[in-house]
Amino acid sequence: MTDPKKQFREILSDFDHAMLVTLDPDGAPRARPMAIADEESDGDLWFVTGVESGKVDELESDVRCGVTMQGKGEFLSITGVAQLVRDRTKIEALFREPMKAWFPKGVDDPRLALLRFRAERAEYWDSSGLDGVKYAFEAAKAVAKGERVEKTDRSQHAEVDLR
């Protein structure tokens, strides 16, 4: 039987980018692409950001947010909270040369900060590799019988409590 937390971590490790979803002042969701600077084994993520960005303003009003990821046959939806982090040691550890496109002064850029996303819950769908073959087989059987595909197993879909 598949361990959902382990499956979640395996899928998460396949992604370098995510869509960070915050809530605007009217409570409407707003998504933007973000490069993942670091990921922790519990699903927490680190992003590099500018302190003057709209997402920072939105998170000052409401720390609740989400992260979504989509790849070839793999999908993740994670909910949690985010906080602005200005720890220079952590910034130095996570800063990469390509980030100079947004922060030309590098780690010394006063606008540079980190967002720490603390994951609380996640849901994954995995139809890649052998799981994809298994799903395609079950779907083909359902179509042939004129039925709906039955619920997938935990290797293909699960909700995960990360708290």
Side-chain angles (χ1 to χ4, degrees):
M1 176 135 198
T2 299
D3 174 5
K5 283 187 179 179
K6 182 179 179 197
Q7 182 77 4
F8 161 75
R9 285 191 295 273
E10 287 176 12
I11 295 170
L12 178 62
S13 69
D14 290 340
F15 293 96
D16 297 324
H17 293 82
M19 294 294 288
L20 175 67
V21 183
T22 56
L23 300 173
D24 75 12
D26 295 325
R30 181 162 178 233
R32 73 263 296 155
M34 302 285 292
I36 299 170
D38 195 19
E39 66 182 56
E40 297 178 4
S41 63
D42 58 2
D44 287 3
L45 301 171
W46 291 86
F47 302 102
V48 173
T49 190
V51 295
E52 78 291 343
S53 72
K55 67 185 146 304
V56 170
D57 292 340
E58 291 163 1
L59 290 167
E60 285 176 355
S61 297
D62 191 339
V63 297
R64 295 175 301 153
C65 55
V67 171
T68 64
M69 300 170 199
Q70 176 181 340
K72 292 189 183 224
E74 295 178 314
F75 307 85
L76 284 178
S77 175
I78 313 168
T79 55
V81 297
Q83 71 182 98
L84 189 67
V85 176
R86 296 180 189 237
D87 179 319
R88 298 319 291 173
T89 303
K90 187 70 173 175
I91 289 172
E92 289 172 9
L94 297 183
F95 193 83
R96 304 289 178 262
E97 194 66 24
M99 295 173 185
K100 281 191 173 181
W102 293 276
F103 304 99
K105 296 178 183 174
V107 296
D108 297 320
D109 194 315
R111 300 172 305 116
L112 177 60
L114 300 171
L115 280 182
R116 182 176 190 180
F117 173 79
R118 293 184 182 270
E120 295 175 349
R121 290 177 298 139
E123 189 168 5
Y124 64 79
W125 299 262
D126 185 3
S127 59
S128 66
L130 290 177
D131 290 323
V133 172
K134 188 180 347 176
Y135 176 78
F137 177 74
E138 292 299 321
K141 266 188 1 186
V143 168
K145 292 179 179 180
E147 299 173 350
R148 181 183 162 105
V149 69
E150 291 301 316
K151 188 171 178 159
T152 58
D153 66 36
R154 294 178 84 60
S155 68
Q156 297 169 314
H157 175 253
E159 294 182 30
V160 184
D161 188 349
L162 301 168
R163 288 177 257 171

